[in-house]
Amino acid sequence: MANEEFSTYLDTSDEWIRSHTGIGFRHIAEPTTATSDLAVEAARKVLSKAGLPPEEVDLVLVATATGDFLGFPSVACIVQDRIGAKKAAAMDVGAGCTGFIYALETARCFVLSGGARNVLVIGAETLSRITNWQDRNTCVLFGDGAGAALVSADGSGTNRGIISSVLRADGSGAELLSRPEGGTRFPFTDRVVDPVATYLKMDGRQVYNFAVKVVSEGIVNIMETNHLCINDIAWIVPHQANVRIIEAAAKRSKLPIEKFFMNIEEYANTSAASIPIALSEMSEKGLLKSGDLVVTFGFGAGLTYGGNLIRW
Ligand code: ACO
């Protein structure tokens, strides 16, 4: 869906959206497609690429803020059944847009502890379902999508995979990005007063300030903790929320903007799916070489933030 479609019914323009966010398009799922449908497709692709039979998956993790159902069952259980991962445990990871980063670290800990050999990690969202399409402050920002990774104990001694992660939260900002009603605080009743209150609501300016601070400090923190400098890093893959956030964070941390991968123009903000979609696209375009060090960094609802250091 191109930006121009919004100007047919809202007071906005392609020029405003591009200049304030860097977004040109977003992909919107068919009305009959739910988050698990996108997740299943991503899961099948990654298993086929890795040549791993679904029976050998020990754990399915789905990072999402837009489950098929409210609360339960999890998207992960639906995926587990549909792909035939008969021996797998399954659970969702709810950390907003930082979900994939949290899920990768969860997978790493399961593998390191010996609790699992193969963990399927998926980021999948249909944000179009919880977007208020009449609110120009938010509806132009989001899109639908999914991406997946397989985290395995391959024992080949190649030292590839997730080297370390930093995961953080600041729940004092919980109300800055939320779906105010429909949960147990303000449950649905047979007299739901305001359906709009079940949609995503955001204080964009406050989230912007938070994001610039945590992204700029967090990436430097990951490099320092691992005794690395920017020349050691092939790519920084930030959560694709807004080009201006990424540019401001790069400037503040004095990191070269060329190191930051961005594909937000095509997909907009796909929340927990944005980093796996970015990694997948980079891989397909041949931008990632075996042995490259990659830093991911995300932020989002919760508020949550964090990043992974990955050897590709
Ligand atoms: N078209 C035209 N005008 C708009 C639009 C639009 N789509 N959206 C907002 N405006 C207007 C506002 O109404 C406001 O008008 P006013 O001054 O008359 O009230 C004006 O633009 C300026 O509003 P600001 O909020 O100051 O605009 P800003 O330059 O800060 O950009 C934005 C807004 C893009 C939302 C920015 O604050 C931002 O990127 N915030 C972070 C959002 C984000 O990344 N969220 C997701 C993170 S977590 C997750 O991924 C779920």
Side-chain angles (χ1 to χ4, degrees), residues 133-202:
W133 290 93
Q134 302 304 321
D135 175 15
R136 69 174 183 175
N137 291 293
T138 54
C139 70
V140 301
L141 301 175
F142 300 101
D144 301 335
L150 186 64
V151 178
S152 295
D154 77 345
S156 67
T158 52
N159 205 19
R160 293 180 64 210
I162 306 144
I163 297 170
S164 73
S165 304
V166 171
L167 306 181
R168 296 279 188 277
D170 178 3
S172 69
E175 287 180 6
L176 298 180
L177 186 45
S178 69
R179 294 176 70 187
E181 296 186 17
T184 54
R185 179 64 62 198
F186 299 107
F188 286 118
T189 65
D190 51 6
R191 293 179 295 117
V192 173
V193 186
D194 182 8
V196 167
T198 66
Y199 292 134
L200 179 155
K201 182 166 170 254
M202 178 174 70

Side-chain angles (χ1 to χ4, degrees), residues 242-261:
N242 185 331
V243 165
R244 282 170 59 206
I245 292 176
I246 298 169
E247 286 173 349
K251 194 166 168 201
R252 190 167 158 160
S253 56
K254 299 191 174 61
L255 294 171
I257 191 71
E258 306 77 51
K259 290 264 175 177
F260 289 76
F261 179 80

Side-chain angles (χ1 to χ4, degrees), residues 240-297:
Q240 309 286 313
N242 185 331
V243 165
R244 282 170 59 206
I245 292 176
I246 298 169
E247 286 173 349
K251 194 166 168 201
R252 190 167 158 160
S253 56
K254 299 191 174 61
L255 294 171
I257 191 71
E258 306 77 51
K259 290 264 175 177
F260 289 76
F261 179 80
M262 286 187 253
N263 62 1
I264 189 171
E265 191 201 359
E266 173 64 26
Y267 302 103
N269 179 347
T270 57
S271 190
S274 92
I275 286 176
I277 290 173
L279 288 171
S280 171
E281 194 167 300
M282 293 168 79
S283 168
E284 278 167 20
K285 287 185 170 160
L287 296 176
L288 293 165
K289 294 191 299 296
S290 185
D292 274 354
L293 284 175
V294 176
V295 174
T296 64
F297 207 88

Side-chain angles (χ1 to χ4, degrees), residues 43-65:
R44 286 188 177 135
K45 276 189 190 163
V46 80
L47 290 179
S48 141
K49 201 169 169 186
L52 190 84
E55 300 78 20
E56 290 187 29
V57 173
D58 303 308
L59 174 62
V60 179
L61 296 175
V62 178
T64 188

